[in-house]
């Protein structure tokens, strides 16, 4: 599943500084572990590679990861894979799951209970791409880690 940059628009351009991944089973017990992986990964990116990552961005990434993993566990019947990659001060959060149905964001409705995950991810991410794969789908989210485009403020 490790791919280099290509023209698909889903991959990061430039060399990847770091990456981490987590296989997810279908029982939903890995949401907290995925959040911890994201925080630890960004901490390592900050301290090992000197990429500025503000605390608000770490919290936003943890929320994005939570929403993606929760949705995969809720709607996909089988395994899933979370992958985090950094290149050029941009984090790519990729979540593959076994359900080929593409998610559809509903119109904002403050009175609706639940089903706001895609709304939240879209609002927080720099970009969101969803594509079908031969055995499911892949959701790819990009989050700026530093500079004027970073989510959140120092």
């Amino acid at each position: 599943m490790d791919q280099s940059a290509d023209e698909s628009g889903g991959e990061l351009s430039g060399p990847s500084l770091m990456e981490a991944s987590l296989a997810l089973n279908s029982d939903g017990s890995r949401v907290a572990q995925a959040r911890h992986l994201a925080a630890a990964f960004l901490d390592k990116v900050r301290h090992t590679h000197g990429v500025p990552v503000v605390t608000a961005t770490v919290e936003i990434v943890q929320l994005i990861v939570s929403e993606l993993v929760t949705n995969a566990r809720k709607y996909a019947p089988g395994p899933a894979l979370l992958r985090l990659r950094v290149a050029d001060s941009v984090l790519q959060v990729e979540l593959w799951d076994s359900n080929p149905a593409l998610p559809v964001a509903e119109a904002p409705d403050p009175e609706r209970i639940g089903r706001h995950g895609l709304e939240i991810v879209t609002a927080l991410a720099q970009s969101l791409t969803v594509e079908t794969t031969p055995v499911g789908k892949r959701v790819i989210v990009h989050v700026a880690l530093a500079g004027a485009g970073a989510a959140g403020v120092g």
Side-chain angles (χ1 to χ4, degrees):
M1 189 164 190
D2 190 19
Q3 300 175 345
S4 58
D6 64 15
E7 294 82 44
S8 71
E11 296 296 322
L12 293 172
S13 61
S16 176
L17 286 175
M18 295 182 64
E19 71 177 75
S21 61
L22 177 65
L24 304 161
N25 55 26
S26 60
D27 71 3
S29 66
R30 296 289 211 45
V31 175
Q33 189 175 1
R35 288 177 57 88
H36 292 300
L37 173 72
F41 178 75
L42 291 174
D43 188 58
K44 190 171 182 180
V45 166
R46 178 181 10 211
H47 291 101
T48 302
H49 295 285
V51 175
V53 181
V54 297
T55 301
T57 300
V58 174
E59 293 167 355
I60 286 168
V61 168
Q62 286 184 297
L63 179 55
I64 288 170
V65 165
S66 288
E67 292 298 333
L68 294 178
V69 171
T70 298
N71 286 347
R73 296 294 34 101
K74 187 173 181 180
Y75 300 109
L81 178 66
L82 172 68
R83 185 169 76 163
L84 307 172
R85 292 179 52 209
V86 171
D88 301 327
S89 297
V90 174
L91 172 68
Q92 177 176 295
V93 178
E94 178 181 317
L95 194 293
W96 170 85
D97 70 45
S98 58
N99 183 351
L102 301 179
V104 177
E106 297 186 31
D109 180 358
E111 295 189 23
R112 181 178 67 237
I113 298 180
R115 299 184 327 268
H116 292 280
L118 198 55
E119 266 180 82
I120 292 167
V121 172
T122 301
L124 296 174
Q126 191 176 18
S127 67
L128 170 78
T129 305
V130 182
E131 56 193 30
T132 57
T133 67
V135 288
K137 71 177 163 299
R138 181 169 46 182
V139 179
I140 302 164
V141 176
H142 291 112
V143 179
L145 296 178
V153 177

